Amino acid sequence: MSSAEVVAVYPNRIRIAVHDPAELSNDPVEVGSYLKIFDSSHGSIIAIIENYSIELRPGKDAGADREKVYLIEAIPLGFITNDGHFSRGGGGVAIPPKKVSVAVKDEVQEIYNTIGGDRRFHFAQLAQDTSVDVPVDGDKFFSRHIAVVGSTGSGKSHAMARIIQNATQMRDDDEYGEYHLNNAHIVIFDIHSEYRTAFPGANHLAVDSLILPYWLLNAEELQDLFIESNEEQSHNQVATLKKSITEGKKRSFIGSEERRETIHYESPVFFEIDEVLAAIKAKNEERVPTKTGDRAGPLFGKLDNFLTRLENRVTDRRLDFLLGDRAKNVELEDVLRQFTGYDPNSLANVTVIDLSGVPFEVLSITVSLVSRLLFDYSYYFKKLNSASVDTPLLLVYEEAHKYVPKSGLAKFSSSRNAIERIAKEGRKYGITAAIVSQRPAEISETIFSQCSNFLAMRLTNPEDQNYVKRLIPDSLGPLTESLPVLSSGEALLLGDAVVMPSRVIMDQAVPAPSSSDVRYMREWIRPWRDVNFATVVDDWQK
């Protein structure tokens, strides 16, 4: 009897009986190893070992010891021809399969090397054998939305930082000679201020340097910022706000009368917020003259709560980046330049938007406005450049569950709509999204369902595991059962861009993001340290 034989074939797996593992391979054979199953003279099925069990069978002769048989279950990944061409799927296994062997390192590497030339993008190695590089098709990886998921401590931020570092270091010196910056344009929404250390030369925008003018907000964002939808007078508030802002934009517009008449509520035109506040206050205090004197106007006293909210927002120093003087004295072009890395004083591949100082009540609006501006920029750029895209953008949404949840709450509607629009239409205009989250089950399914490439790291929450299994494009079945036991830095790399689904180990980001766990024991064994509370309080109060 041969050392290994196929004993069962199912639609998505193959069962193999192995009588002597030593004859199968000189190297250890383990879960995750690759097998070659020959079913014809034309090539072989490549399969990955999912699990194995040991069965004791009666010996061949009476009284003989029972025979130990290893039953291996493997998931077919693709078909490789005798000339080395690999294709996903493979069609099925012809009956009866002829032979089973372990795919050696060189054979596995040759499969991955089918991605070559300028499409090859590399950031990981095979977890079972780190000497095997696992490249992806860079065009398919970046032009289609990416999902990076994993529990806290699984290495998501390190993985995303390494991918971006590798992307910004790519060069085509043969054609263009030596140069410092390539044409990568990446925007990171950094909610925990982790990426500053990973990209010291990036364009860093925090609340003290970010400029995001209120006059660029659309109707939904303006209403999220200024109006409580559950208030009795919310319909009057919306109507008054719309009229006051439209009139304010027309007053401030410098241009022809013909153009002025085309301005509407959502036109990206400046208006003075203090004038809008004064107009609404006048409406709230309006009295209508009558023959016998005057009487209260239709909205007299009905906008009190609205006015209080408006005044609180305008005078809130935390919102200076949105409603303060610097937001009034900036052009739309300058706003776009700061996000796309085209600052005249310091060009940069990467823009890190530090959202850690943005008040939570305007976090969704901030993400929404930046996302929408970059989508519109990409749309008009392509429209004006003969349908070509010379500056494709990647938007990285860290901790995306915090501002695009499945929740139907109105306060998340603007960011959810903006990112869903990018997810559904962005590829046509050269703008793609990388969704990074530790709680994928809480994110809008519309967004995740548009992702074509997945980097699934350790997930310990059963709800998140099941959610990811449903969304993963490859029919891998229980291969994803390894999600809760992956080591830090390990991931399942799946999707259109990778030759075949792979368990990989990620390269370390250098320099690394500041997302490592606090070293409690290292700090606690040190001598007592003083704290300068005055500087902490001063910064807090500012």
Side-chain angles (χ1 to χ4, degrees):
M1 183 178 291
S2 64
S3 174
E5 59 181 345
V6 175
V7 295
V9 177
Y10 304 99
N12 63 345
R13 74 183 59 196
I14 301 168
R15 181 175 291 173
I16 301 152
V18 178
H19 302 273
D20 186 357
E23 292 185 19
L24 195 62
S25 171
N26 293 326
D27 298 320
V29 180
E30 56 188 21
V31 172
S33 294
Y34 292 98
L35 299 178
K36 294 178 73 174
I37 303 166
F38 298 85
D39 69 345
S40 71
S41 60
H42 303 297
S44 57
I45 294 290
I46 294 293
I48 187 170
I49 296 177
E50 176 197 7
N51 62 63
Y52 72 90
S53 59
I54 300 173
E55 184 177 292
L56 296 176
R57 296 179 179 177
K60 297 177 184 177
D61 302 320
D65 292 338
R66 287 192 294 176
E67 182 184 15
K68 185 182 290 186
V69 178
Y70 297 85
L71 293 176
I72 294 174
E73 289 196 335
I75 299 172
L77 302 177
F79 188 83
I80 185 167
T81 61
N82 288 333
D83 60 3
H85 177 72
F86 178 83
S87 58
R88 294 275 282 271
V93 183
I95 300 174
K98 304 288 191 298
K99 176 186 171 186
V100 178
S101 68
V102 172
V104 298
K105 169 191 166 183
D106 290 344
E107 292 174 321
V108 176
Q109 186 66 75
E110 190 175 341
I111 294 171
Y112 285 118
N113 286 346
T114 56
I115 297 175
D118 60 2
R119 295 183 299 118
R120 182 185 177 94
F121 180 67
H122 174 246
F123 57 83
Q125 285 78 40
L126 197 62
Q128 295 88 337
D129 185 349
T130 55
S131 65
V132 175
D133 292 333
V134 182
V136 298
D137 184 318
D139 286 339
K140 291 182 179 178
F141 188 70
F142 290 114
S143 68
R144 299 169 190 182
H145 306 304
I146 307 162
V148 180
V149 298
S151 301
T152 299
S154 62
K156 296 185 306 300
S157 299
H158 282 260
M160 198 69 240
R162 186 58 182 171
I163 289 170
I164 296 169
Q165 287 171 351
N166 284 14
T168 56
Q169 290 164 8
M170 294 186 300
R171 301 286 185 274
D172 188 358
D173 294 332
D174 292 340
E175 183 175 352
Y176 300 104
E178 293 186 5
Y179 51 97
H180 172 57
L181 290 178
N182 67 7
N183 196 39
H185 300 273
I186 298 163
V187 180
I188 305 173
F189 293 87
D190 184 7
I191 202 162
H192 292 309
S193 194
E194 295 177 336
Y195 284 87
R196 174 179 288 274
T197 56
F199 301 98
N203 174 30
H204 292 279
L205 300 174
V207 287
D208 57 348
S209 57
L210 175 66
I211 303 177
L212 201 58
Y214 63 86
W215 47 270
L216 289 174
L217 296 169
N218 66 12
E220 186 177 37
E221 292 156 353
L222 284 163
Q223 288 160 207
D224 281 353
L225 182 61
F226 293 127
I227 292 172
E228 289 289 346
S229 58
N230 58 355
E231 282 189 5
E232 182 182 351
Q233 294 295 324
S234 62
H235 62 291
N236 284 326
Q237 294 173 11
V238 171
T240 307
L241 183 68
K242 182 175 182 179
K243 184 170 187 268
S244 302
I245 288 177
T246 305
E247 291 175 350
K249 288 185 175 185
K250 289 183 176 181
R251 267 196 312 272
S252 299
F253 179 72
I254 301 173
S256 67
E257 191 62 32
E258 184 180 358
R259 284 282 304 278
R260 188 190 307 276
E261 291 307 310
T262 64
I263 291 173
H264 54 86
Y265 186 30
E266 295 192 352
S267 296
V269 174
F270 173 79
F271 68 91
E272 176 55 69
I273 188 68
D274 293 329
E275 291 181 4
V276 168
L277 190 58
I280 294 171
K281 188 174 183 180
K283 207 70 179 171
N284 190 54
E285 298 172 351
E286 181 183 30
R287 301 191 68 84
V288 180
T290 65
K291 292 180 180 178
T292 57
D294 60 24
R295 59 179 176 80
L299 295 178
F300 186 86
K302 295 181 179 179
L303 302 177
D304 286 343
N305 290 343
F306 183 32
L307 273 170
T308 300
R309 192 179 310 113
L310 272 169
E311 289 170 346
N312 288 341
R313 288 280 193 260
V314 171
T315 57
D316 189 341
R317 290 188 59 193
R318 298 176 305 159
L319 303 183
D320 276 355
F321 72 96
L322 187 64
L323 296 165
D325 288 339
R326 56 184 165 146
K328 298 177 182 180
N329 302 310
V330 67
E331 298 293 333
L332 176 55
E333 178 180 334
D334 298 321
V335 175
L336 294 174
R337 281 181 176 276
Q338 71 174 331
F339 296 131
T340 53
Y342 284 100
D343 185 324
N345 300 316
S346 177
L347 300 178
N349 292 126
V350 178
T351 297
V352 178
I353 304 176
D354 185 349
L355 299 172
S356 61
V358 174
F360 184 73
E361 60 267 29
V362 296
L363 177 62
S364 175
I365 294 168
T366 302
V367 174
S368 169
L369 180 51
V370 178
S371 300
R372 187 170 53 77
L373 287 174
L374 291 173
F375 179 92
D376 289 344
Y377 157 76
S378 299
Y379 169 79
Y380 285 107
F381 183 95
K382 183 175 180 180
K383 180 181 176 184
L384 294 171
N385 287 276
S386 303
S388 68
V389 178
D390 301 327
T391 58
L393 288 169
L394 173 67
L395 308 188
V396 180
Y397 293 97
E398 265 282 348
E399 301 290 1
H401 56 278
K402 291 187 179 292
Y403 40 84
V404 280
K406 283 195 289 190
S407 161
L409 293 175
K411 66 179 179 180
F412 298 118
S413 61
S414 58
S415 58
R416 186 169 56 247
N417 291 341
I419 300 175
E420 284 182 356
R421 186 185 181 198
I422 289 172
K424 290 185 284 189
E425 305 175 40
R427 283 179 54 197
K428 295 181 288 187
Y429 306 112
I431 180 169
T432 53
I435 307 297
V436 185
S437 176
Q438 60 177 282
R439 289 307 317 272
E442 295 180 3
I443 290 181
S444 161
E445 283 197 39
T446 302
I447 294 170
F448 252 141
S449 64
Q450 297 294 325
C451 293
S452 299
N453 295 292
F454 284 78
L455 200 63
M457 310 188 84
R458 184 178 66 249
L459 280 170
T460 53
N461 186 295
E463 185 182 0
D464 292 323
Q465 294 168 20
N466 294 330
Y467 184 73
V468 170
K469 289 174 189 176
R470 291 203 317 269
L471 289 174
I472 283 175
D474 295 277
S475 301
L476 298 178
L479 182 64
T480 52
E481 296 297 334
S482 63
L483 284 173
V485 296
L486 293 173
S487 302
S488 180
E490 279 192 348
L492 294 181
L493 178 57
L494 316 159
D496 296 345
V498 65
V499 172
M500 57 185 177
S502 307
R503 182 170 172 174
V504 300
I505 185 82
M506 300 290 296
D507 291 337
Q508 286 293 306
V510 181
S514 57
S515 57
S516 302
D517 292 336
V518 175
R519 298 285 302 277
Y520 271 75
M521 294 307 298
R522 186 186 68 182
E523 296 301 326
W524 280 2
I525 64 175
R526 295 172 60 178
W528 181 271
R529 299 180 67 186
D530 276 338
V531 172
N532 189 338
F533 283 94
T535 57
V536 174
V537 171
D538 182 60
D539 192 55
W540 187 347
Q541 291 177 334
K542 283 193 297 186

